[in-house]
Amino acid sequence: MEELRAILHSIIKNQEETNAKISELNLQLSAKIGETNARLSGKIDEVDARLSAKIDSLDAKIVSLDAKIDEVDARLSAKIDSLDAKTDALDAKTDVLDAKIDEINTSLGAKIDFLDARLDRVHLSLQSQIDDVGADVRHIKRSMRLFENDMDATLDRIKRLEDHMAKHPE
C-alpha cells in the first residue's frame, strides 16, 4: 500500500513539475513573441520615418518646381513678343523637368516596392514563427492529454488493486 502511495505521490509530483515546465515555456513564448513584435514595430517605424522623410523631400522639390514654373509663366506673360524665340528653350527646360520628375517617380516607386517586399518577408517570417509556436503548444497539449490519460489509467489500476486487496486481505 505504501508503495502505491509512493507511486501516486511520484505521479502527482511529476504532474506538478510538468505544469511548472509548461508555465515556464509559456512565459518564454510570451517573451519571445513580445521581443519579435517590438523588433518588428521598431523596424516598421524606422522604415516609415525614412519613407516620410523621402516624401517630405519630394514635396519640397515639387514646391520648388511649382515656384519655378510660376516664375517661368510670369516671365512668358511679360514677354509675349519674344515667345516664338524662347519656345524652344522652354520646351527643353520642360523636358528636363519631366525627366527629373519621371526619374524621381521611378526611384520612389522602386523604393516603395522594395519596402513592400521587405514588409512581406517580415510578415511571412513572423507568421512562420507564430505557426511554429502554435505547433509547439499543440504538441505540449497532446503530451499533457497523454500524461493525464496515463495518470487516469494508473489511478484506475491503483483503485482496482486496493479493491482486490480489500477483498483478499491475505
Side-chain angles (χ1 to χ4, degrees):
M1 189 55 106
E2 285 299 318
E3 192 176 306
L4 291 176
R5 284 190 184 144
I7 290 171
L8 182 59
H9 178 67
S10 174
I11 289 171
I12 292 170
K13 185 175 179 183
N14 286 340
Q15 176 69 36
E16 290 171 353
E17 289 173 359
T18 300
N19 288 342
K21 287 179 183 178
I22 288 171
S23 294
E24 181 182 331
L25 287 172
N26 282 337
L27 288 174
Q28 291 173 359
L29 177 61
S30 294
K32 191 70 167 179
I33 289 171
E35 289 172 11
T36 301
N37 285 341
R39 217 172 345 133
L40 289 175
S41 178
K43 287 181 181 180
I44 289 170
D45 289 345
E46 178 184 327
V47 168
D48 186 48
R50 287 193 316 227
L51 187 57
S52 292
K54 290 189 184 289
I55 289 171
D56 290 344
S57 172
L58 287 174
D59 285 342
K61 287 179 182 180
I62 289 171
V63 168
S64 174
L65 289 174
D66 285 342
K68 288 179 182 180
I69 290 171
D70 290 342
E71 179 183 332
V72 168
D73 188 45
R75 278 189 280 142
L76 287 174
S77 295
K79 299 179 180 183
I80 290 177
D81 294 339
S82 62
L83 183 61
D84 290 335
K86 295 184 179 182
T87 300
D88 292 337
L90 181 60
D91 286 341
K93 287 181 182 179
T94 302
D95 290 342
V96 169
L97 290 176
D98 285 342
K100 285 183 182 179
I101 290 171
D102 288 343
E103 182 180 311
I104 289 168
N105 286 339
T106 301
S107 174
L108 181 59
K111 288 177 183 175
I112 289 172
D113 290 343
F114 170 77
L115 292 175
D116 189 44
R118 188 170 179 189
L119 182 60
D120 286 344
R121 285 192 306 274
V122 168
H123 174 75
L124 289 174
S125 173
L126 179 58
Q127 186 62 48
S128 175
Q129 290 174 2
I130 289 170
D131 291 343
D132 291 345
V133 167
D136 290 346
V137 167
R138 285 189 296 280
H139 177 72
I140 289 170
K141 285 181 179 179
R142 274 193 305 272
S143 295
M144 285 292 296
R145 280 194 297 274
L146 291 173
F147 180 74
E148 288 172 357
N149 290 341
D150 288 347
M151 278 193 59
D152 290 341
T154 301
L155 289 174
D156 287 343
R157 279 190 235 126
I158 290 171
K159 177 69 175 146
R160 284 194 307 265
L161 183 61
E162 285 176 346
D163 290 344
H164 179 73
M165 296 285 284
K167 288 179 184 177
H168 305 287
E170 310 161 6

